[in-house]
Amino acid sequence: MAQIEWDHVSKWFGPVAAVHNISLVARDHEFLVLLGPSGCGKTTTLRMAAGLEDPTSGRLLLGERDVTHVEPRDRDLAMVFQNYALYPHMTVYDNLAFGLKLRKTSPQAVRRAVEDAAARLGLESLLARRPRELSGGQRQRVALGRAMVRQPQAFLMDEPLSNLDATLRAETRVQLKALHAQLATTIVYVTHDQVEAMTLATRIVVMNGGVIQQVGTPDAIYDRPVNQFVAHFIGTPGMNMLPVLWGRVDGALAAIVGSQRLPLPPGLPWMRAAESAVSHAATVGVRPEHLRVAAAPETGTPSLKARIRLVEPMGHETLVHLDLDPDLTLVARTPDRWPHSNIPVWVSFDPRHLHVFDPVSQVAYEAV
Amino acid sequence: MKTVWTRMLHVSAAGSLMAAAVGCGASAPSAAPSHHKTTAQSTAAHPTVVTLWDSHAAVNQQGHAIQRIISTFNRTHPTIRVEQTVTPASAKALAAVQAGDPPVMAEIGHLPQYAYERAGALANLHGFIYGPNGFPSSQLKGIWPAVWAAEHTPNHQQYLFPVDIKVAEFFYTATLWKKAGLTAPPTTWSQLQHDAAVLQAKTGAIGLGARLDHNDWLPLFYSNGGTYYHGSHLALNTPAMATTIQQLITRDNAPYTKVLSYNTSFEDFAAGKLGILENTADGYEMVREDVGGKFPVGVFPVPPGTTGHTAVLYQGLSFVIFKSATPAQQQAAWTFIKYFDAPAQQAVWSTVGGEPPISQADVAAVQQMAGSQYTANPGPYAGTRVAIQELQSGHVIHKILGPAQTEVDTVIQDQIQSAIAHKESVSTALANMESQALAYLSGNAAQ
Amino acid sequence: MTNTAARPSGRLVRRWARFALMAVVAAAFLLPFYWALVLSVATRANVFTMPPDLVPSWDFISWARVFTLAPWGLYFLHSVIITGATIIAVLVTGVLAGYALAEVPFRGREVVMGVLLAGLMVPPEAILIPNYVVAYHLHLLNSLAGQVVPFGANVFAVFLFRQFFKTLPVELWDASRMDGARWWQYLRHIAVPLARPVVMTVTLLTFVAQWSQFQWPLIITQGNGARPVEVALSYLQGFDGSHWRELAAASLLTLAPIFVVFLLTQRHLISSVAGRAQI
Amino acid sequence: MVETVPSQPSPPPVAIGPRAPVRRRSFNLGWALVLPALAFLALFTYLPAVLVAAISLFQWNLAGFSSSHWVGLQHYAQLLNPISGFLQSLTVTAYYVGMMVPLSIALGLGLAWLVKNRGPRLTAWETFTRSAVFLPYITPAIATSIIWIFIFNPQFGLANAVLSALHLPALGWLTSTTWALPAVMINNLWHNVGFMVILFLAALSNVPQDVVEAAWMDGANGAVAFWHIIRPHLSPVMLLAVILGTIQAMQTFGSIYQMTGGQFGGGGGPLNSTTTTAIYLYKSAFVYFHYGYGAAVGVVLFLVMLGVALAQKKIGERHTFYR
């Protein structure tokens, strides 16, 4: 039973609330990723689970057990730190064994556990070395190993890949996912990297300003962001946001974008909310990958006239920066190559890919 | 090196024979055996331990002598074990009383007895000396009167029993002496100075090594008719002190005189670079050991002053027993004192260590142990013999007892030395020493 | 300017002059030790000579005699116990207080820091007598403990440890907590082992200071019960200063541990002393 | 970009720092950890610092206040009486300190300059000379003072051998009221200068080499470069050297005691010519057993040292660059 529950947890540092009234459950065997920009409170949330921070209010539950005021050593959790925090004066073996030795495990059991973890992580040949004699990737594996040997109820990981170079990070990500499948243990994982979050998570918790913005599967977070923050934070580049006014064209709902009118087909899920909105304004979001760019307007789908300002060729795709009006810009990700800038084009998209947010609360209409 | 050891072996053999033949009979009164018997039963396995603090390090002949006596004592007294600790006992034993960890007995100077008395640290020896296991009256009567007087406080309490008697005398290097054409030792101060000048001129060695302490000026002062303490008032600004200072100025500023101090008294002499050395009897064996047989060392007594007689200063160390010791320990300590001051042991003490014996009654034993060599000068026992002569002269003085004695002595010495160094006139020195010493006595000054 | 050709040779001369001067300086500073060695192995005839004999004659009789003059084994044992115990005490108090001042927030921490710094301002000479009085009332006179306790805490050691602990990353503490360590286990297994250079510095400085300790043991020791080597040596010279050979041997005997430690830890020792001055 | 930041409620009263090792008990733990150190220091530094003033007002008996005799400021009056020798001890101390500090700094700086590494690495000779100069500093003063007593023996010592080799008259050294203190100084200079060398070596290595080189390029010779470039960089260390040198000199005890006959009445001879205040204090309390009087000496010594340190600091601040 390795379920971690934050029950109305807040954490204050002096006059600042790092985490504000969070209620969250990391379910058994789940790979829960806390995602958010730096300073959003995700690390503090994790450290409270570890017992390294005391919540200012609220409760922490491990399974059924209230562990709010229980020392870390009595929680049976393991943690992987961003900087690994390996003990510099100990060999890899001793680093792995330290926790077990403190728990008065028999020497034979310690040896077995350490060798087992080392074998899984490919550290056998490094056991006699000290951390400073290891590469970044090796250190990262030792840090993982140190967490694994104790076979804890759950793993807590604080940006464990952030100190690796891009290639290694991608490799390790895969290993980590495999490891999770293999260990079948709860993992709570903190990152600011949405790719890690999307690829690894069973569920993602998006945080900002000490508050949970949205909890959901990667797909749900991607497809149905509950507010503008989540919508923009997930995806690279972030979702295009356009201020619109609602109008009617031939009796049908249309969005007025800058100087252009965008007629919309009926039956979209958010339309009722949009129509009943007090204000006639809204923010419309559309992901760059859902935009199509063409020399001529597409028939059957809403199209907007634009001008290419800048092109970023990426090889397998191209980022096209577009001006609608002087103050209205869009980014499109297209498989087509657009070698020239400053040419007029048409932008079209499937209206089902539109996200509409209340301009004041920034909350998605479909979530209301 | 070899000669010293062989000589010591002979002496020790003779010493143990003496102890067997004469010593035991004389020193063991009839009560002693029964005392031994009663304690032997219960304490044979655990002898009464008597810790003795004294400053005779094994580095010199005196140290050897005291160690020999102690080991013989421990062998012949199975119920007692004396354990010697070499330490500057006079100062340290009092500190140990304060620390609550004093020894059973110690050898201290007779001046510090005031501080010890104030601390209530010492056992009164009267009961031991005159009690059933007392000191043999034959010897008691023979103890040098000035020495005996110095062992009492002004109100006639006795905490001290003599052991280590220092009296001043002069040593000379016989070979240099001969080289300079001198035949007989000097008998007056002017002769002494003349001889020193001749020595220096003829041999190139330093003529006279004088001392820098009260051992030096105090006897001179007394032999000039001085006495500085009458009851409660001082008599320092006197013609006798003026004469004394003048004499010292002349002597110490003479080209043939070298003023020696604590660390440098023996080296020159031992190297044969010094004609005459002012020292005390106990230094004789030490000097001879340092000389190591390179040349014979002669001795002559301190010349007389204007009074026509010499004044021999008794300074030295005495046994004390600490009140904090158990009655059994005190009794055992007294047994050791009696043993040490018995003729047989005094003979060892005098011949090996070079100290004169405490009593006229011991002189025969010393002579017997020294044998035919006793009268030889230069000779191995010349230091002891001259010291005995000085003690027998009757003109022995002891340091005047007073609570601020050390301070007063320091004042006098400082003033004398200032005058010698021509930092002030004799009359200023006399006035200063009187006023400053008075300040100490009245408690207005402190150091 | 005019003699550009002469310049390199001038530089060479200067270099050799510097080497010669260094040799003279080194010789001058080592000469007293060397002469003590010569005296300690001199024959009787070679001691009181003028000019002094500077060639050793390798007569070890005085070394043999030194051991009969005083129970050196006992005195060395005392000095070793005193020095060792002081080192342990200074390390323990220094680690604990340094850790608290670096990592444990508690009310009054600033006050404690101020109080410690104020303690550095008190000259030990000036409080010699009250120290003696305190030692008297604590029954520490004439004891080994009496020579340890007054030196059992060292402000400098506290600050050294504090400085070091402040440089340790918080993650090490977090990681060890996750591994199940309590604060003392963190100290024992992580912080103190990492502080080995500081431990070494404190050990060396305490060793040097305690082995050379003189005035305090002179005052508080009386008999043989707690006498350390330096005091014993001082007395030996007092009892008969003319035994140069034995005194030289005894002096070298008490210097030997210092020499050994110096040879083994020279670099660290010098930098420790340099660091000591900077506080 | 707008974020959904919830409004911040007011903070709760208690916040525990991020490094608190034990929750909720950190207050007690901190005190518990500093307690051993404070206890040692309290017993043998803080309490005595207060006690010394109290004792100085009594004819002190070790047993305690109740058996001691109140004398008020009498001891201080005695200190000022020239007969007591205290004022003379201050003069001797001033002479000793006044000679030792400049000499040890000058010699220390000179030696540091000599053994300073010229290249990027230390040569074996430089290391050896450094060690030779430093070694005396860590030796016990008694052992080395005994050797110096031999050296200053008027008849057979090395000192007079050197003088006679230079055709200079032999000196009495420790037996002379004029030369005893210089003899002690020579010993202590030899003993302590290594510390100054270490101090100045560290400072010299901090002098930026490029600035010195720039000065050379500008045509400055060695002396000019030293005076204008290096000396200003040394001034903070110079201040430190003066303060530490003064403290060290004022506290010198063992070597003076041993060389001037401490075992025969506490040292300071001949004729009190080497009786520094440290020796005077020792003799007052532990030769003559006037604890109260000695405490008064201690109080004055305390104030003098404090005054000297403050004065030096004040003067130093005015003349120190690159602090």
Side-chain angles (χ1 to χ4, degrees):
Chain A
M1 193 61 180
Q3 170 177 304
I4 304 170
E5 183 176 352
W6 291 258
D7 179 16
H8 296 91
V9 170
S10 293
K11 175 68 184 176
W12 291 82
F13 292 118
V16 183
V19 169
H20 187 239
N21 201 19
I22 277 180
S23 290
L24 179 69
V25 177
R27 297 176 198 132
D28 200 8
H29 296 191
E30 186 174 39
F31 200 126
L32 185 75
V33 174
L34 304 182
L35 177 68
S38 57
C40 73
K42 56 190 188 296
T43 296
T44 306
T45 307
L46 185 78
R47 287 169 60 84
M48 285 192 286
L52 297 174
E53 306 281 1
D54 254 358
T56 314
S57 63
R59 295 191 309 155
L60 263 153
L61 299 155
L62 214 55
E64 301 289 305
R65 182 176 158 224
D66 185 341
V67 295
T68 315
H69 300 301
V70 170
E71 282 293 321
R73 63 176 170 273
D74 299 324
R75 295 193 186 194
D76 196 17
L77 303 173
M79 186 151 165
V80 180
F81 293 86
Q82 184 172 2
N83 299 320
Y84 317 136
L86 300 179
Y87 309 126
H89 59 298
M90 294 187 190
T91 60
V92 169
Y93 182 93
D94 290 333
N95 262 285
L96 298 187
F98 183 60
L100 293 174
K101 283 180 183 165
L102 286 180
R103 287 180 163 74
K104 306 246 185 306
T105 315
S106 73
Q108 302 90 321
V110 171
R111 175 155 293 278
R112 230 176 298 122
V114 171
E115 279 167 359
D116 180 52
R120 279 194 203 209
L121 295 165
L123 295 169
E124 299 102 318
S125 59
L126 307 176
L127 284 175
R129 294 208 200 160
R130 279 171 217 281
R132 65 168 171 277
E133 300 159 338
L134 301 176
S135 72
Q138 288 167 337
R139 287 181 207 182
Q140 205 279 336
R141 297 209 310 269
V142 175
L144 265 180
R146 181 171 65 180
M148 278 165 54
V149 279
R150 281 199 352 247
Q151 303 184 321
Q153 289 194 50
F155 290 94
L156 308 174
M157 302 192 183
D158 186 5
E159 311 224 15
L161 306 184
S162 64
N163 282 352
L164 301 178
D165 64 52
T167 331
L168 205 52
R169 198 180 318 168
E171 280 172 27
T172 316
R173 212 162 57 204
V174 175
Q175 287 170 359
L176 216 50
K177 188 150 190 160
L179 205 62
H180 177 240
Q182 202 183 345
L183 295 171
T185 323
T186 312
I187 296 180
V188 181
Y189 186 105
V190 162
T191 183
H192 64 273
D193 184 327
Q194 49 162 312
V195 180
E196 277 174 31
M198 299 298 282
T199 50
L200 290 172
T202 319
R203 284 193 305 152
I204 294 175
V205 179
V206 182
M207 292 185 68
N208 190 36
V211 172
I212 292 176
Q213 305 291 328
Q214 185 171 2
V215 181
T217 60
D219 288 347
I221 297 276
Y222 181 83
D223 293 337
R224 294 184 296 280
V226 294
N227 58 29
Q228 232 170 288
F229 173 80
V230 177
H232 188 82
F233 191 75
I234 302 290
T236 324
M239 188 182 279
N240 294 298
M241 294 292 172
L242 298 169
V244 299
L245 289 170
W246 298 127
R248 285 199 173 271
V249 175
D250 305 330
L253 193 69
I256 297 160
V257 184
S259 56
Q260 303 185 53
R261 261 184 284 178
L262 189 64
L264 296 166
L268 295 172
W270 43 267
M271 275 185 164
R272 184 185 302 262
E275 277 171 320
S276 61
V278 181
S279 130
H280 291 288
T283 305
V284 166
V286 59
R287 294 198 180 276
E289 53 271 37
H290 294 147
L291 293 179
R292 294 189 292 276
V293 182
E298 264 181 51
T299 49
T301 54
S303 297
L304 288 167
K305 207 161 31 164
R307 178 171 284 277
I308 296 181
R309 178 164 50 88
L310 188 76
V311 177
E312 285 183 84
M314 315 279 283
H316 64 290
E317 60 184 16
T318 305
L319 291 185
V320 183
H321 295 255
L322 302 153
D323 287 341
L324 292 180
D325 273 341
D327 289 335
L328 283 176
T329 63
L330 286 175
V331 180
R333 263 168 82 168
T334 76
D336 314 318
R337 304 204 164 173
W338 290 88
H340 304 294
S341 54
N342 203 21
I343 54 170
V345 287
W346 290 89
V347 185
S348 57
F349 50 86
D350 186 338
R352 279 172 304 180
H353 285 137
L354 280 184
H355 302 265
V356 182
F357 305 97
D358 183 281
V360 179
S361 71
Q362 305 194 341
V363 175
Y365 277 170
E366 56 197 315
V368 173
Chain B
M1 203 67 245
K2 200 170 185 180
T3 55
V4 173
W5 287 110
T6 27
R7 186 162 56 81
M8 271 192 54
L9 272 174
H10 288 306
V11 170
S12 75
S16 33
L17 275 176
M18 283 285 297
V22 192
C24 285
S27 70
S30 54
S34 68
H35 166 78
H36 281 196
K37 251 176 213 152
T38 49
T39 48
Q41 301 287 320
S42 52
T43 54
H46 299 288
T48 307
V49 173
V50 174
T51 45
L52 163 65
W53 287 8
D54 78 314
S55 51
H56 296 297
V59 72
N60 57 44
Q61 293 298 104
Q62 275 177 292
H64 291 311
I66 201 168
Q67 284 190 353
R68 266 207 25 216
I69 295 170
I70 290 171
S71 65
T72 324
F73 176 83
N74 284 344
R75 212 171 43 246
T76 53
H77 297 72
T79 59
I80 302 174
R81 200 171 75 238
V82 173
E83 290 178 354
Q84 185 204 17
T85 293
V86 180
T87 199
S90 278
K92 281 301 177 186
L94 184 54
V97 171
Q98 291 168 338
D101 191 16
V104 173
M105 62 188 301
E107 277 183 49
I108 68 168
H110 53 272
L111 278 182
Q113 68 173 308
Y114 285 98
Y116 283 83
E117 190 184 26
R118 266 204 306 276
L122 301 177
N124 197 318
L125 299 184
H126 191 271
F128 291 107
I129 298 168
Y130 304 102
N133 189 23
F135 200 72
S137 64
S138 55
Q139 271 166 273
L140 207 53
K141 270 185 273 169
I143 293 179
W144 317 111
V147 170
W148 194 237
E151 312 300 277
H152 291 77
T153 65
N155 40 1
H156 311 293
Q157 297 304 303
Q158 185 170 15
Y159 303 103
L160 311 184
F161 203 81
V163 48
D164 179 342
I165 298 169
K166 288 186 194 350
V167 286
E169 50 190 33
F170 286 86
F171 309 149
Y172 62 89
T173 306
T175 41
L176 290 176
W177 200 264
K178 204 178 276 174
K179 213 164 139 195
L182 298 170
T183 46
T187 51
T188 64
W189 282 106
S190 55
Q191 229 176 55
L192 192 156
Q193 290 173 30
H194 169 264
D195 288 355
V198 169
L199 268 168
Q200 181 146 335
K202 295 240 173 105
T203 65
I206 302 158
L208 170 67
R211 299 257 306 224
L212 200 70
D213 53 34
H214 49 244
N215 215 14
D216 178 52
W217 56 262
L218 192 63
L220 194 54
F221 177 47
Y222 269 80
S223 70
N224 288 330
T227 158
Y228 64 65
Y229 190 68
H230 296 288
S232 63
H233 72 276
L234 282 161
L236 288 175
N237 197 349
T238 58
M241 183 57 90
T243 314
T244 306
I245 296 178
Q246 283 298 354
Q247 266 179 302
L248 290 171
I249 290 175
T250 315
R251 189 196 74 188
D252 288 1
N253 288 319
Y256 50 79
T257 301
K258 183 175 170 190
V259 177
L260 302 168
S261 70
Y262 22 85
N263 289 319
T264 53
S265 21
F266 291 164
E267 289 97 341
D268 292 324
F269 194 85
K273 304 247 165 122
L274 185 57
I276 303 171
L277 172 66
E278 183 185 7
N279 209 274
T280 55
D282 65 325
Y284 186 67
E285 279 308 313
M286 287 149 86
V287 159
R288 276 172 44 81
E289 204 242 319
D290 283 348
V291 168
K294 277 182 286 190
F295 52 82
V297 182
V299 191
F300 61 88
V302 180
T306 54
T307 55
H309 62 77
T310 181
V312 179
L313 175 69
Y314 157 54
Q315 55 167 4
L317 302 170
S318 308
F319 279 126
V320 291
I321 299 175
F322 287 87
K323 233 190 222 169
S324 51
T326 64
Q329 284 171 325
Q330 293 190 11
Q331 204 45 252
W334 171 248
T335 306
F336 178 70
I337 292 176
K338 245 179 76 182
Y339 177 84
F340 198 103
D341 282 344
Q345 281 63 244
Q346 285 295 294
V348 174
W349 186 229
S350 295
T351 51
V352 178
E355 302 276 5
I358 66 159
S359 167
Q360 174 67 47
D362 302 328
V363 173
V366 175
Q367 282 179 0
Q368 194 173 343
M369 183 171 278
S372 60
Q373 292 272 25
Y374 182 68
T375 46
N377 185 7
Y381 310 112
T384 303
R385 192 174 70 100
V386 169
I388 290 173
Q389 276 171 14
E390 288 184 328
L391 287 162
Q392 284 169 335
S393 75
H395 293 294
V396 183
I397 53 167
H398 59 86
K399 271 188 243 173
I400 312 302
L401 302 175
Q405 186 65 46
T406 316
E407 288 92 331
V408 171
D409 273 353
T410 310
V411 162
I412 298 172
Q413 191 174 324
D414 285 359
Q415 292 302 328
I416 292 176
Q417 278 169 357
S418 292
I420 290 172
H422 298 302
K423 284 181 182 161
E424 59 185 15
S425 68
V426 175
S427 55
T428 320
L430 288 169
N432 281 350
M433 71 171 64
E434 176 119 348
S435 67
Q436 293 187 13
L438 273 173
Y440 277 112
L441 280 184
S442 64
N444 285 336
Q447 188 178 12
Chain C
M1 291 161 268
T2 49
N3 53 353
T4 39
R7 229 200 206 154
S9 78
R11 195 170 287 174
L12 203 67
V13 167
R14 278 233 306 265
R15 241 183 69 189
W16 279 106
R18 178 170 170 259
F19 275 118
L21 194 56
M22 284 205 290
V24 169
V25 164
F29 273 84
L30 294 178
L31 184 62
F33 299 121
Y34 176 73
W35 196 39
L37 175 71
V38 171
L39 283 174
S40 76
V41 293
T43 59
R44 181 195 287 276
N46 292 23
V47 183
F48 299 130
T49 59
M50 194 70 184
D53 196 342
L54 287 178
V55 183
S57 6
W58 305 117
D59 179 351
F60 286 93
I61 182 105
S62 34
W63 280 92
R65 281 192 57 186
V66 155
F67 287 95
T68 67
L69 294 182
W72 289 108
L74 182 68
Y75 301 148
F76 263 86
L77 182 68
H78 290 159
S79 279
V80 166
I81 292 173
I82 292 162
T83 307
T86 312
I87 288 171
I88 291 168
V90 168
L91 284 176
V92 169
T93 55
V95 162
L96 295 183
Y99 173 69
L101 294 175
E103 306 219 347
V104 185
F106 60 96
R107 203 167 304 163
R109 190 155 83 158
E110 300 309 312
V111 178
V112 171
M113 298 271 286
V115 165
L116 289 179
L117 284 172
L120 284 177
M121 304 290 287
V122 181
E125 277 295 328
I127 54 170
L128 193 62
I129 291 157
N131 274 344
Y132 184 79
V133 170
V134 170
Y136 167 80
H137 286 284
L138 295 178
H139 302 287
L140 289 175
L141 297 183
N142 206 17
S143 69
L144 293 176
Q147 297 171 70
V148 173
V149 175
F151 312 99
N154 186 302
V155 175
F156 174 68
V158 171
F159 278 90
L160 266 191
F161 277 112
R162 174 177 174 268
Q163 289 309 99
F164 183 84
F165 289 144
K166 276 179 101 79
T167 66
L168 287 180
V170 200
E171 283 82 7
L172 286 180
W173 163 233
D174 289 338
S176 65
R177 283 180 83 188
M178 293 310 292
D179 272 338
R182 290 154 201 270
W183 65 265
W184 67 86
Q185 289 169 319
Y186 164 73
L187 264 186
R188 212 191 118 209
H189 296 292
I190 314 288
V192 173
L194 284 172
R196 239 182 58 185
V198 183
V199 171
M200 181 91 167
T201 293
V202 171
T203 302
L204 284 175
L205 290 176
T206 313
F207 168 75
V208 168
Q210 281 300 83
W211 194 264
S212 305
Q213 199 67 251
F214 176 66
Q215 188 178 23
W216 181 249
L218 172 74
I219 290 167
I220 73 154
T221 64
Q222 282 88 38
N224 269 345
R227 181 180 296 171
V229 282
E230 288 309 303
V231 174
L233 185 63
S234 171
Y235 289 158
L236 186 66
Q237 196 255 342
F239 293 138
D240 191 349
S242 67
H243 284 75
W244 284 22
R245 297 183 298 160
E246 289 80 0
L247 280 169
S251 297
L252 290 176
L253 196 65
T254 73
L255 285 171
I258 292 281
F259 287 158
V260 170
V261 168
F262 180 70
L263 287 177
L264 292 178
T265 65
Q266 211 188 103
R267 187 156 302 188
H268 200 107
L269 188 58
I270 292 180
S271 67
S272 298
V273 170
R276 173 82 176 83
Q278 306 299 330
I279 289 284
Chain D
M1 175 151 184
V2 188
E3 292 176 7
T4 54
V5 180
S7 65
Q8 295 280 352
S10 61
V14 187
I16 293 168
R19 278 194 153 186
V22 176
R23 51 199 67 213
R24 256 158 263 293
R25 285 195 333 192
S26 53
F27 175 82
N28 297 329
L29 178 68
W31 277 103
L33 289 175
V34 293
L35 196 68
L38 283 183
F40 279 115
L41 291 168
L43 281 177
F44 285 96
T45 301
Y46 307 130
L47 173 65
V50 179
L51 211 50
V52 68
I55 291 174
S56 75
L57 304 175
F58 286 86
Q59 202 76 56
W60 186 260
N61 184 305
L62 273 184
F65 281 98
S66 55
S67 45
S68 296
H69 172 61
W70 171 267
V71 297
L73 294 175
Q74 195 182 312
H75 288 146
Y76 293 92
Q78 285 171 358
L79 287 180
L80 296 175
N81 185 341
I83 292 174
S84 68
F86 174 73
L87 296 175
Q88 195 203 343
S89 84
L90 283 184
T91 319
V92 172
T93 308
Y95 172 46
Y96 180 77
V97 174
M99 292 294 281
M100 279 299 282
V101 172
L103 282 177
S104 62
I105 286 178
L107 188 60
L109 187 53
L111 289 174
W113 189 255
L114 179 69
V115 301
K116 187 174 96 80
N117 47 323
R118 299 302 197 265
R121 296 190 51 187
L122 273 174
T123 64
W125 256 120
E126 283 161 354
T127 312
F128 178 73
T129 312
R130 277 184 192 195
S131 301
V133 171
F134 179 76
L135 178 60
Y137 180 68
I138 56 164
T139 55
I142 300 308
T144 43
S145 292
I146 287 177
I147 303 174
W148 280 96
I149 291 170
F150 300 156
I151 292 177
F152 286 121
N153 183 283
Q155 196 66 21
F156 310 104
L158 281 178
N160 277 349
V162 170
L163 289 182
S164 89
L166 298 172
H167 299 288
L168 292 168
L171 297 172
W173 293 114
L174 295 168
T175 63
S176 147
T177 52
T178 317
W179 291 102
L181 200 56
V184 170
M185 285 179 196
I186 292 172
N187 171 7
N188 281 319
L189 215 50
W190 169 84
H191 193 272
N192 295 341
V193 80
F195 176 73
M196 291 291 176
V197 172
I198 297 298
L199 211 57
F200 285 122
L201 271 178
L204 285 175
S205 69
N206 287 339
V207 177
Q209 202 54 41
D210 50 349
V211 179
V212 179
E213 279 161 9
W216 278 331
M217 296 304 289
D218 288 342
N221 63 24
V224 173
F226 178 82
W227 191 256
H228 291 286
I229 313 297
I230 296 167
R231 187 187 57 93
H233 273 97
L234 290 183
S235 51
V237 173
M238 200 66 88
L239 175 65
L240 193 66
V242 170
I243 293 176
L244 293 177
T246 306
I247 291 174
Q248 198 170 52
M250 289 191 79
Q251 294 182 345
T252 307
F253 177 78
S255 57
I256 305 182
Y257 172 92
Q258 195 68 25
M259 289 180 78
T260 62
Q263 311 89 340
F264 313 92
L271 251 188
N272 284 331
S273 59
T274 57
T275 301
T276 59
T277 309
I279 293 280
Y280 186 83
L281 187 151
Y282 167 80
K283 285 170 80 169
S284 301
F286 300 104
V287 176
Y288 300 114
F289 297 109
H290 298 316
Y291 297 118
Y293 182 71
V297 177
V299 169
V300 175
L301 188 65
F302 199 153
L303 296 177
V304 167
M305 289 185 84
L306 208 64
V308 168
L310 289 178
Q312 283 170 343
K313 229 179 141 145
K314 197 134 225 168
I315 295 165
E317 271 159 11
R318 220 175 293 153
H319 296 283
T320 299
F321 315 92
Y322 300 104
R323 189 73 224 206

